[in-house]
Amino acid sequence: MKTLRLILGDQLNSKHSWYKTNDKNVVYCLFEMRQETDYVTHHIQKIIGFFAAMRAFSSHLKANNFKVDYYKLDDKDNTQDLVENLKQLIKKHEIEKFQYQLPDEYRVDQQLSEFCESLDIESEAFSTEHFYTERNDLKDFFKGKKQYLMENFYRDMRKKHDILMAGKQPEGGKWNYDKSNRNKWKGEHQIPTYKYFKNDVSDIVELLENSDIKTIGKFDTKTFSYPITRAQALDQLKYFCEELLIHFGDYQDAMHTDEVYLFHSRLSFAMNIKLISAKNIVDTVLNYWRKHGDNIDISQVEGFIRQIIGWREYMRGMYWALMPDYKTENHLENTNKLPEFYWTGNTKMNCLKNTITNSLDNGYAHHIQRLMVTGNFALLAQINPDDVDAWYLGIYVDALEWVQLPNTRGMSQFADGGKIATKPYVSSGSYINKMSNYCDNCYYDKKEKLGEKACPFNSLYWNFLDDKRSILGNNRRMGMMYSLLDKMDKHQLVNIKKRAQSIIENPDNF
C-alpha cells in the first residue's frame, strides 16, 4: 500500500523501527510551519534549532534512499497548517494509508486524532520508541493512590529496569543522593570549556528574517551550538561522561555569574527532539562509570540518572494523566502580569538579571535557575500561571509542552494545588545566596527585609505566605514557616507587606 508517514519536528529518532527497512511504497514527510512557529512566541534559537535538526534528519533519510517530502517554511506548496499539508500530500502521492508517531503534545495529538477520524483511508499510530514508559504507565502506576510522589515512581523505575541496583537494594545503599547535590560552586573545580557545534544555519536565519516571525532572545552568529544530529548528540554525551560527569551531582543546583552551563550536559535539546533516547544516555553513563568508578562517586551518577528516569519520565506521565484540564489550573488564584524585565533582563535584581540574560542569550537555564530564580519570583509576585507558562514554553530551546507545563504550572507555580510538588517552591534571598554568587554584587541586600536596598525576594516571601494562608496554612510542610510568620512583629509585617505590594505593582522599577 502507498503509505505516508509523518515525522514531527521532535521525532527525529533515526533508530526508530520505521527505518529498519526501506519500503519504496512509503513516503516520509516533515514540515516547517507557521502553525508551530506562531502558537507561542519562541526564542529565535529554538526555531533555528528545530529547523536545522529537521533538515539534517531529512538529509540523513534521503542519503539512505528513503523517499522524503520536506516543506521548508517558504515553499510555495506549504499551507503552514499540518492537516492541510497532509491532505495535499495524500492527494499528490495517491496515498492509501497514513501513519504517524504519537505526538508528545496534547494539542498536536488532538489535531492528528481528529484528522485521522476524517480520513477515508486507513490510519495507524506508533510509539516514538524514545521513552522508558508509555503515555499511561504512570497513571496506571498511581491508580488508587492519593499522591503522585515522584520518589515512589523513581524507585519503581530503578527496580523495573535494573538501574543502579544490587539485587533488590539500591546500589551504594541509598536510593537518592539529593543531599549531596546541593553544593555552591566557588571555583575549586575547574569547569571545562563547553562543547560547541558549529552548525551553519545562515540560510535559516535569513529565512526567519524574511518571514517576519515574531521571536524573543538573541542570535548574533551564524552557527548553532547545540547538537542537531545523532552523531553530534553522541559526541556531546561522550564529552559529558569524560569531562563533566565527575562533578555533575556536586554542582547540579549551583549557579554562578561567570558560568552558563557549569557541569550540565547540554543534552536536553537533543533528547527532547529524540536524536538520542533516554535509555541510550543512561546506559552510556552507567557503562562509563563502571569503567571509571574509582574517580567518579555514585552520587554524581545517581543525580544525573534521577533527572532522566525519575523527573523526565515522571513529568511526561503526569502531563498525560492530567491533561487537558491541567493547562487551566490556578489553585492559588494568581492574576498579576509578568514583568517586562522577563523579556529584557533589565532589573537591578542580580539573580534575575543573570538568569534572564543567560536565557535570552543562550535559550538555556538549568533547573534551579528556572525553579528558584525566575519561577520563584513569578510565584512570589503572584503572576498569572498562563503568562508564566507562555514565557517558559517560548524562551528555552528544549521547551516542549509535555515537559514544560508540569514543571512550570505544577512544580514551579503550585497552580495544581500540590499534584506534583507537596509544597510551593518559594524562598527568600537566603536560598539564592546559598546556591550562587548572585547576591555578592547585587544592588540589594540579601539580609534586609525593609528599606530601599532590601532584597525584594525577602518581603515578597513573607507577603506570599500571609496572602495565601487560607490555602496553604494547613500544609504540614509549611508549618515551620507559618510558625515563624506568627511570631513576627505585627507592625513589621505591615511594613513588609507594603514593600511587597510596591514591588508587585511596579516590578520593573526594581
Side-chain angles (χ1 to χ4, degrees):
M1 296 177 71
K2 292 206 70 175
T3 303
L4 180 67
R5 284 179 170 173
L6 170 66
I7 304 168
L8 297 173
D10 65 337
Q11 297 177 341
L12 311 182
N13 175 12
S14 61
K15 295 298 181 181
H16 195 278
S17 57
W18 271 4
Y19 314 117
K20 287 183 178 178
T21 57
N22 190 350
D23 186 338
K24 297 304 178 183
N25 287 314
V26 174
V27 178
Y28 293 88
C29 62
L30 298 92
F31 308 125
E32 300 171 7
M33 296 177 292
R34 294 299 293 252
Q35 169 186 309
E36 298 305 303
T37 61
D38 297 359
Y39 75 92
V40 73
T41 305
H42 298 286
H43 198 296
I44 186 171
Q45 292 186 39
K46 182 180 180 183
I47 299 176
I48 288 170
F50 266 83
F51 285 5
M54 288 165 66
R55 292 182 182 190
F57 192 74
S58 174
S59 296
H60 165 77
L61 291 181
K62 289 176 180 177
N64 285 277
N65 299 314
F66 289 95
K67 292 181 181 178
V68 182
D69 244 321
Y70 188 98
Y71 282 11
K72 291 185 178 180
L73 192 70
D74 59 351
D75 282 352
K76 61 180 177 58
D77 292 332
N78 192 346
T79 68
Q80 309 301 332
D81 178 85
L82 176 59
V83 167
E84 294 305 315
N85 282 347
L86 289 172
K87 287 179 179 177
Q88 194 179 87
L89 291 184
I90 288 172
K91 184 178 180 181
K92 174 184 173 182
H93 295 290
E94 299 179 337
I95 296 299
E96 301 167 283
K97 187 174 186 178
F98 172 65
Q99 297 179 333
Y100 66 100
Q101 295 174 30
L102 288 168
D104 286 311
E105 294 204 17
Y106 185 87
R107 167 183 63 91
V108 183
D109 187 64
Q110 288 295 107
Q111 187 179 23
L112 284 171
S113 293
E114 291 170 8
F115 171 65
C116 289
E117 288 176 6
S118 72
L119 289 175
D120 56 7
I121 60 172
E122 187 180 342
S123 63
E124 185 178 6
F126 291 76
S127 166
T128 60
E129 302 174 8
H130 170 81
F131 296 95
Y132 278 91
T133 55
E134 297 301 330
R135 274 186 186 176
N136 296 317
D137 285 358
L138 180 135
K139 188 176 182 178
D140 294 340
F141 176 76
F142 285 114
K143 190 174 183 179
K145 298 183 175 73
K146 289 184 178 180
Q147 284 189 308
Y148 293 74
L149 289 176
M150 193 285 288
E151 185 68 21
N152 294 343
F153 170 76
Y154 171 55
R155 293 184 184 190
D156 184 69
M157 288 287 286
R158 291 266 298 272
K159 295 173 188 175
K160 186 180 291 182
H161 298 284
D162 194 24
I163 296 171
L164 287 176
M165 296 298 296
K168 295 183 178 181
Q169 297 302 314
E171 192 166 352
K174 292 170 68 175
W175 287 105
N176 189 312
Y177 289 83
D178 188 45
K179 290 182 179 178
S180 301
N181 302 151
R182 302 172 185 172
N183 297 326
K184 184 174 183 174
W185 184 73
K186 300 177 183 177
E188 59 270 49
H189 294 111
Q190 188 174 356
I191 299 170
T193 303
Y194 71 89
K195 196 167 189 65
Y196 189 107
F197 295 96
K198 295 184 178 180
N199 296 302
D200 184 1
V201 291
S202 52
D203 54 340
I204 298 175
V205 173
E206 184 179 357
L207 171 68
L208 296 183
E209 288 173 351
N210 294 335
S211 300
D212 197 30
I213 291 173
K214 183 182 179 183
T215 61
I216 53 176
K218 299 175 183 176
F219 190 66
D220 300 326
T221 180
K222 300 296 183 184
T223 54
F224 185 75
S225 66
Y226 298 103
I228 62 167
T229 66
R230 177 172 173 79
Q232 289 182 353
L234 291 171
D235 202 10
Q236 179 70 45
L237 176 58
K238 182 173 182 286
Y239 185 80
F240 171 71
C241 290
E242 293 174 352
E243 303 292 340
L244 303 170
L245 178 61
I246 190 170
H247 293 302
F248 170 81
D250 292 337
Y251 303 112
Q252 67 170 303
D253 289 0
M255 301 170 282
H256 199 279
T257 53
D258 296 336
E259 294 295 334
V260 176
Y261 304 107
L262 286 103
F263 292 93
H264 288 269
S265 71
R266 298 180 79 246
L267 281 165
S268 56
F269 175 71
M271 283 187 75
N272 288 355
I273 61 173
K274 303 180 180 63
L275 295 177
I276 188 169
S277 72
K279 189 176 189 305
N280 199 166
I281 290 177
V282 169
D283 287 349
T284 301
V285 168
L286 283 173
N287 289 338
Y288 185 84
W289 178 61
R290 298 293 179 207
K291 294 178 182 177
H292 304 87
D294 292 343
N295 301 320
I296 303 172
D297 191 80
I298 191 174
S299 63
Q300 320 294 343
V301 179
E302 187 278 324
F304 183 73
I305 287 174
R306 187 183 344 122
Q307 299 300 324
I308 297 174
I309 71 166
W311 282 113
R312 187 170 184 266
E313 298 278 337
Y314 171 79
M315 287 299 185
R316 175 175 176 258
M318 288 296 282
Y319 177 79
W320 284 106
L322 300 171
M323 283 294 279
D325 295 343
Y326 197 72
K327 197 169 181 176
T328 58
E329 294 208 31
N330 190 359
H331 180 71
L332 297 177
E333 301 175 348
N334 291 336
T335 58
N336 295 327
K337 290 187 176 181
L338 197 69
E340 181 64 26
F341 65 69
Y342 271 73
W343 308 98
T344 65
N346 295 331
T347 172
K348 295 195 290 282
M349 291 175 275
N350 206 31
C351 57
L352 283 160
K353 181 178 181 178
N354 272 271
T355 298
I356 293 170
T357 299
N358 178 28
S359 301
L360 292 167
D361 288 348
N362 302 293
Y364 174 86
H366 70 64
H367 62 291
I368 294 299
Q369 291 168 314
R370 301 186 199 196
L371 180 65
M372 298 308 299
V373 180
T374 49
N376 186 13
F377 185 88
L379 182 51
L380 293 177
Q382 302 175 40
I383 306 301
N384 189 319
D386 289 346
D387 288 359
V388 185
D389 275 337
W391 187 79
Y392 276 97
L393 183 57
I395 200 164
Y396 295 116
V397 295
D398 61 8
L400 292 160
E401 192 183 74
W402 66 266
V403 66
Q404 171 273 318
L405 187 67
N407 268 296
T408 304
R409 195 165 287 252
M411 188 79 171
S412 171
Q413 299 303 295
F414 204 72
D416 64 358
K419 291 183 176 71
I420 286 177
T422 53
K423 71 177 183 66
Y425 276 83
V426 288
S427 78
S428 62
S430 60
Y431 175 83
I432 295 169
N433 181 58
K434 178 185 175 184
M435 296 309 303
S436 76
N437 71 335
Y438 290 152
C439 302
D440 294 354
N441 296 305
C442 187
Y443 173 85
Y444 296 105
D445 188 334
K446 62 184 178 290
K447 296 179 180 179
E448 297 298 324
K449 298 183 186 72
L450 294 170
E452 181 191 338
K453 290 202 170 184
C455 174
F457 280 84
N458 295 339
S459 56
L460 287 171
Y461 177 75
W462 294 108
N463 176 73
F464 173 83
L465 291 181
D466 191 59
D467 279 358
K468 306 300 180 184
R469 184 189 287 268
S470 63
I471 303 174
L472 301 173
N474 292 326
N475 185 312
R476 291 182 180 180
R477 294 196 66 196
M478 303 289 287
M480 185 173 72
M481 301 319 298
Y482 274 108
S483 177
L484 291 173
L485 180 64
D486 290 338
K487 294 173 183 176
M488 186 178 290
D489 177 81
K490 302 304 178 188
H491 180 69
Q492 184 186 31
L493 179 58
V494 168
N495 289 331
I496 284 173
K497 288 182 71 66
K498 283 181 180 177
R499 174 160 174 81
Q501 197 57 40
S502 70
I503 297 166
I504 288 170
E505 291 176 358
N506 301 285
D508 290 299
N509 291 341
F510 288 85

